[in-house]
């Protein structure tokens, strides 16, 4: 609770406390098909990061008791849902997709209000949930297994997918509907029941998704929503003995806690965490195109994407030109409330984020191995007074081992690093602990393929920024970014289903594998 209070103050300041007594709309948990308050009857507020006086709503401050109730309801619903034929489950999900389409505009506006990113991007976030829903619902008529020859005569071998069981889904605030959908929809099509806890900064978008699930006709108990903080709500999910799988997206630090807790109780755990993504710009690149990619990758979502382009490794021959153009574009970006269609970059999520990002800017400034080329300030005057706005910030001449070039900042800050060859660029690019996304700008197909082959990341782009994943390709990263799983694509089915190998012996006699070797079938 202490952490909850702290977080309340963190996002809203004292004004938030005042507004708590005002008329903010009240939302509920969804457990066993009922919309309910938390067992303790406590609430937390969700404020607009562009204007913290604007309270988006109040949400149940859930505890272990609420998680227990949600898990119980998921348990009660499981047998019926897993026995519902997958094509029937998918039909409900197709209806969900239609509902999301009908509500796209409202959901986007509400997401901008609670999360800050500009309307075009929240539209993209909702669209990603729509795409994910239709694409994954299509799996209801596939969920392919395979057959394979058995080593004995008159014996049949095959492999099918079965649901994992009860799943706990813990999601972050930067893609408040897309990321929940990446987990929820495949979990459901595979026949699992779930308890989902959205980030405390963005519960409304997940509420909207779950409400749409109800409207689509997903049976009570199959999807359960519990809002609240990492402690106690998130931790209660992670530690719940009945939740066979925890799927988590968030910070590397929290991911480690989640992974340890899962290891402790032998739960399956899929993690999607940080990144320190890179764009390589070669001397033969279309520099204007590369600058556009860098601006989009570094400052889209105010740099708060796990795939953000936070490092730009640029060949010395185009370094000056590239940097000059990048700085011009960064300076010209219109920062403001994401609800204004003219805004190009919104606020960051909360006061903690401001603190962390400004801390990294200070670190960059203190070292003499980098130059603060533009930005670097928090904006606090006029329309910015009640929000969490930071200028688009570019450091140039950055040494690759500096902290700003190594650690995930998760804000509108990017580091330009000079290089004199492709080999050196690739070495710098791979020289971080993360391995999510990388890109190269070049007109030379040989260089593009060389970098594609050498970059040890889960995602790679040629002549395009580090952001912009599509739902039918696997998403995830190497090294400290994840723990070997992939979301999206059909690969996500390997998270949310388990393989069952089946042998059917119709020989009418005991046939011992590896022992009764049949030489030929004469
Ligand atoms: P960030 O620092 O970017 O907010 P987090 O990793 O803390 O990222 O948050 C991602 C999600 O993990 C959120 O839903 C948050 O509430 C949840 N969370 C935070 N701490 C814990 C924890 N100890 N156990 C489980 N979930 C947690």
């Amino acid at each position: 609770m202490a952490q909850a209070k702290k977080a309340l103050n963190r996002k809203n300041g004292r004004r938030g406390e005042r507004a708590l007594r005002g008329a903010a709309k009240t939302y509920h948990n969804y457990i066993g098909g009922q919309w309910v308050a938390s067992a303790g009857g406590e609430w937390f507020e969700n404020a607009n990061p562009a204007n913290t006086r604007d309270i988006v709503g109040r949400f149940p401050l859930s505890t272990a008791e609420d998680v227990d109730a949600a898990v119980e309801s998921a348990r009660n619903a499981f047998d019926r849902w897993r026995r519902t034929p997958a094509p029937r489950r998918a039909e409900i999900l197709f209806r969900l997709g239609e509902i999301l389409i009908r509500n796209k505009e409202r959901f986007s506006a509400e997401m901008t209000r609670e999360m800050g990113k500009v309307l075009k991007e929240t539209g993209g976030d909702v669209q990603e949930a729509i795409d994910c829903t239709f694409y994954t619902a299509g799996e209801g008529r596939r969920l392919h297994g395979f057959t394979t020859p058995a080593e004995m005569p008159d014996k049949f071998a095959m492999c099918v997918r079965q649901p994992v069981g009860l799943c706990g889904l813990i999601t972050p605030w930067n893609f408040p509907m897309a990321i929940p959908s990446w987990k929820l929809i495949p979990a459901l099509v595979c026949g699992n029941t779930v308890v989902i806890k959205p980030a405390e900064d963005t519960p409304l978008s997940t509420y909207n998704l779950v409400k749409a699930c109800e409207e689509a006709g997903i049976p009570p108990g199959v999807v359960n929503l519990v809002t609240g903080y990492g402690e106690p709500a998130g931790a209660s999910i992670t530690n719940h003995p009945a939740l066979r799988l925890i799927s988590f997206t968030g910070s590397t630090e929290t991911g480690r806690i989640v992974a340890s807790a899962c290891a402790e109780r032998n739960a399956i755990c899929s993690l999607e965490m940080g990144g320190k993504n890179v764009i390589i710009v070669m001397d033969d690149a279309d520099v204007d195109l590369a600058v556009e990619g860098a601006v989009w990758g570094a400052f889209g979502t105010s740099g708060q994407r796990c795939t953000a382009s936070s490092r730009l490794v640029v060949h010395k021959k185009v370094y000056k030109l590239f940097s000059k153009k990048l700085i011009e574009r960064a300076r010209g970006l219109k920062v403001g409330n994401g609800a204004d269609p003219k805004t190009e970059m919104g606020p960051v999520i909360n006061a903690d984020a401001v603190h962390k990002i400004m801390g990294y800017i200070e670190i960059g400034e203190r070292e003499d191995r980098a130059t603060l080329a533009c930005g670097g300030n928090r904006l606090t005057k006029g329309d910015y007074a009640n929000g969490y706005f930071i200028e688009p910030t570019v450091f140039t001449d950055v040494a690759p081992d500096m902290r700003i070039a190594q650690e995930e900042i998760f804000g509108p800050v990017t580091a330009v690093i000079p290089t004199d060859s492709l080999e050196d660029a690739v070495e710098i690019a791979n020289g971080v602990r993360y391995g999510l996304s990388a890109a190269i700008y070049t007109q030379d197909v040989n260089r593009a393929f060389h970098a594609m082959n050498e970059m040890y990341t889960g995602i790679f782009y040629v002549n395009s920024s580090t952001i912009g994943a599509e739902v039918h390709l696997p998403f995830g990263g190497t090294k400290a970014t994840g723990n070997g799983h992939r979301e999206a694509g059909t690969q996500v089915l390997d998270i949310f289903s388990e393989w069952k190998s089946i042998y059917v012996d119709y020989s009418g006699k005991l046939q011992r594998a590896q022992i009764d070797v049949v030489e030929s079938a004469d």
Side-chain angles (χ1 to χ4, degrees):
M1 206 63 72
Q3 192 197 342
K5 278 271 155 50
K6 186 183 130 242
L8 180 96
N9 292 335
R10 180 186 80 183
K11 191 168 182 197
N12 307 327
R14 260 175 285 129
R15 279 182 212 101
E17 297 277 15
R18 205 180 319 137
L20 189 62
R21 297 193 292 272
K25 190 170 170 193
T26 298
Y27 297 88
H28 291 90
N29 283 340
Y30 186 59
I31 298 177
Q34 303 292 318
W35 294 96
V36 294
S38 68
E42 291 205 63
W43 307 88
F44 69 97
E45 283 181 336
N46 176 15
N48 181 342
N51 174 12
T52 55
R53 290 179 175 186
D54 175 27
I55 302 302
V56 178
R58 50 181 214 147
F59 290 80
L61 186 59
S62 305
T63 62
E65 216 179 316
D66 302 294
V67 170
D68 283 347
V71 172
E72 195 48 34
S73 126
R75 195 199 313 260
N76 293 337
F78 179 57
D79 279 340
R80 189 169 152 224
W81 184 245
R82 79 178 166 83
R83 289 185 186 128
T84 303
R88 296 279 93 79
R89 297 198 290 258
E91 276 167 19
I92 304 178
L93 295 176
F94 281 121
R95 281 206 294 277
L96 170 64
E98 298 293 344
I99 295 165
L100 297 182
I101 289 174
R102 276 207 304 280
N103 289 282
K104 181 174 170 183
E105 211 173 310
R106 175 167 70 84
F107 289 170
S108 311
E110 291 187 348
M111 191 187 296
T112 291
R113 192 176 162 209
E114 75 168 347
M115 189 272 167
K117 63 186 172 185
V118 301
L119 278 174
K120 258 198 194 108
E121 291 186 40
T122 52
D125 195 306
V126 177
Q127 186 59 46
E128 201 165 324
I130 294 167
D131 296 344
C132 171
T133 302
F134 282 110
Y135 173 71
T136 316
E139 284 303 318
R141 285 191 184 271
R142 284 186 292 266
L143 284 178
H144 290 148
F146 59 92
T147 63
T148 186
E151 64 184 48
M152 309 284 184
D154 299 329
K155 190 176 173 190
F156 189 88
M158 63 184 162
C159 220
V160 299
R161 292 180 186 276
Q162 60 186 344
V164 168
L166 278 51
C167 302
L169 315 179
I170 300 174
T171 55
W173 45 263
N174 62 339
F175 281 86
M177 188 176 279
I179 293 180
S181 79
W182 286 6
K183 300 181 190 299
L184 182 65
I185 310 303
L188 295 181
V189 83
C190 288
N192 305 285
T193 56
V194 308
V195 176
I196 183 165
K197 191 204 85 64
E200 49 271 37
D201 284 312
T202 55
L204 179 55
S205 297
T206 307
Y207 170 94
N208 284 335
L209 179 62
V210 171
K211 190 95 182 142
C213 288
E214 181 192 32
E215 191 184 332
I218 292 176
V222 171
V223 177
N224 301 278
L225 168 73
V226 175
T227 61
Y229 291 92
E231 287 272 8
S236 304
I237 290 177
T238 306
N239 293 310
H240 202 292
L243 292 173
R244 170 111 173 84
L245 178 150
I246 304 295
S247 171
F248 168 86
T249 301
S251 64
T252 305
E253 294 70 34
T254 306
R256 199 173 299 122
I257 297 171
V258 170
S260 309
C262 288
E264 208 48 51
R265 62 181 188 81
N266 282 327
I268 302 165
C269 173
S270 87
L271 304 172
E272 203 53 67
M273 302 175 289
K276 190 69 186 174
N277 314 288
V278 64
I279 296 179
I280 297 172
V281 182
M282 293 311 296
D283 51 343
D284 63 347
D286 175 337
V287 171
D288 289 326
L289 187 66
V291 167
E292 283 313 304
V295 168
W296 173 227
F299 304 121
T301 318
S302 309
Q304 304 169 110
R305 294 187 182 215
C306 40
T307 52
S309 314
S310 52
R311 296 181 300 149
L312 310 170
V313 178
V314 184
H315 197 283
K316 281 177 180 159
K317 285 191 186 151
V318 290
Y319 186 84
K320 264 202 179 138
L321 180 66
F322 175 89
S323 301
K324 182 171 155 280
K325 288 185 179 226
L326 174 72
I327 293 160
E328 263 168 31
R329 285 283 284 113
R331 279 208 183 109
L333 283 177
K334 189 173 164 6
V335 179
N337 188 327
D340 177 348
K342 289 198 216 79
T343 297
E344 291 172 292
M345 193 182 93
V348 299
I349 190 70
N350 58 33
D352 273 0
V354 171
H355 183 74
K356 181 179 165 197
I357 297 161
M358 294 309 295
Y360 273 111
I361 292 173
E362 257 181 66
I363 290 170
E365 276 188 285
R366 262 205 312 271
E367 283 198 50
D368 54 11
R369 293 187 301 153
T371 307
L372 177 61
C374 77
N377 299 302
R378 179 171 180 189
L379 298 163
T380 52
K381 302 227 166 74
D383 287 348
Y384 300 125
N386 296 304
Y388 301 119
F389 295 97
I390 295 178
E391 288 175 332
T393 299
V394 177
F395 282 96
T396 51
D397 301 330
V398 177
D401 62 339
M402 283 179 65
R403 285 185 65 192
I404 57 167
Q406 287 288 322
E407 297 174 23
E408 186 177 45
I409 300 175
F410 227 60
V413 181
T414 195
V416 194
I417 303 170
T419 184
D420 47 21
S421 71
L422 179 58
E423 286 68 28
D424 180 60
V426 167
E427 196 178 323
I428 294 169
N430 272 329
V432 291
R433 60 197 284 251
Y434 299 109
L436 184 53
S437 182
I440 187 167
Y441 281 81
T442 179
Q443 302 296 323
D444 181 337
V445 69
N446 297 349
R447 288 171 155 181
F449 268 80
H450 177 80
M452 181 185 84
N453 194 47
E454 294 301 311
M455 280 309 302
Y456 188 45
T457 55
I459 305 170
F460 187 78
Y461 294 91
V462 178
N463 291 329
S464 182
S465 189
T466 53
I467 65 180
E470 301 182 19
V471 300
H472 53 302
L473 279 77
F475 181 95
T478 61
K479 301 193 276 187
T481 294
N483 64 341
H485 297 278
R486 291 290 182 272
E487 296 192 300
T490 49
Q491 287 69 18
V492 69
L493 302 175
D494 287 333
I495 298 178
F496 289 103
S497 63
E498 289 186 285
W499 288 109
K500 184 187 279 175
S501 299
I502 300 171
Y503 303 91
V504 182
D505 191 320
Y506 55 97
S507 69
K509 59 182 187 226
L510 176 66
Q511 298 197 91
R512 296 170 301 178
Q514 293 91 40
I515 295 170
D516 299 329
V517 179
V518 178
E519 298 302 341
S520 64
D522 47 22

